[in-house]
């Protein structure tokens, strides 16, 4: 339900387009909108600590909800780690 609502509103894409990403483009694996979506969805399911994202990063249903990617990447890849989420917090600050 969260994914459908967010997808219809385009909320995280709209937010992320105005955020300057200081990371090196050749090292970016997760887009800002994906990182925000992962963090907000984790909080929505009761995971308030950044360490919880490491557990959720391997959950197939959570990956499908967070990623807007096509193909098998959703099933094969994990989501961002806790250190990557910490970098997101630094970027947003």
């Amino acid at each position: 339900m969260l994914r459908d609502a967010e997808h219809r509103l385009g909320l995280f894409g709209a937010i992320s387009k105005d955020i300057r990403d200081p990371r090196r483009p050749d090292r970016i694996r997760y887009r800002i909108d994906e990182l925000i979506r992962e963090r907000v969805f984790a909080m929505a399911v009761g995971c308030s600590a950044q360490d919880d994202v490491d557990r959720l990063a391997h959950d197939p249903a959570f990956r499908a909800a967070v990623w807007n990617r096509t193909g098998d990447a959703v099933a094969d890849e994990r989501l961002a780690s806790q250190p990557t989420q910490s970098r997101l917090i630094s970027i947003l600050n």
Side-chain angles (χ1 to χ4, degrees), residues 14-50:
I15 291 170
S16 66
K17 73 177 178 63
D18 293 327
I19 297 172
R20 188 185 73 75
D21 191 346
R23 300 175 296 166
R24 287 182 37 185
D26 62 321
R27 294 194 174 193
I28 293 175
R29 183 172 179 185
Y30 306 101
R31 299 184 320 252
I32 293 290
D33 65 313
E34 292 171 332
L35 294 173
I36 293 171
R37 189 177 298 109
E38 180 179 359
R39 184 73 183 120
V40 170
F41 286 8
M43 289 187 300
V45 297
C47 297
S48 60
Q50 286 182 347

Side-chain angles (χ1 to χ4, degrees), residues 1-22:
M1 287 183 359
L2 287 171
R3 177 183 163 75
D4 288 342
E6 191 280 322
H7 184 70
R8 288 181 190 163
L9 294 172
L11 182 63
F12 300 135
I15 291 170
S16 66
K17 73 177 178 63
D18 293 327
I19 297 172
R20 188 185 73 75
D21 191 346

Side-chain angles (χ1 to χ4, degrees), residues 72-93:
D72 294 333
V74 173
D76 297 337
E77 301 269 342
R78 62 167 276 143
L79 293 176
S81 65
Q82 183 277 326
T84 302
Q85 283 292 326
S86 291
R87 283 189 287 280
L88 170 67
I89 301 303
S90 295
I91 291 168
L92 295 176
N93 283 329

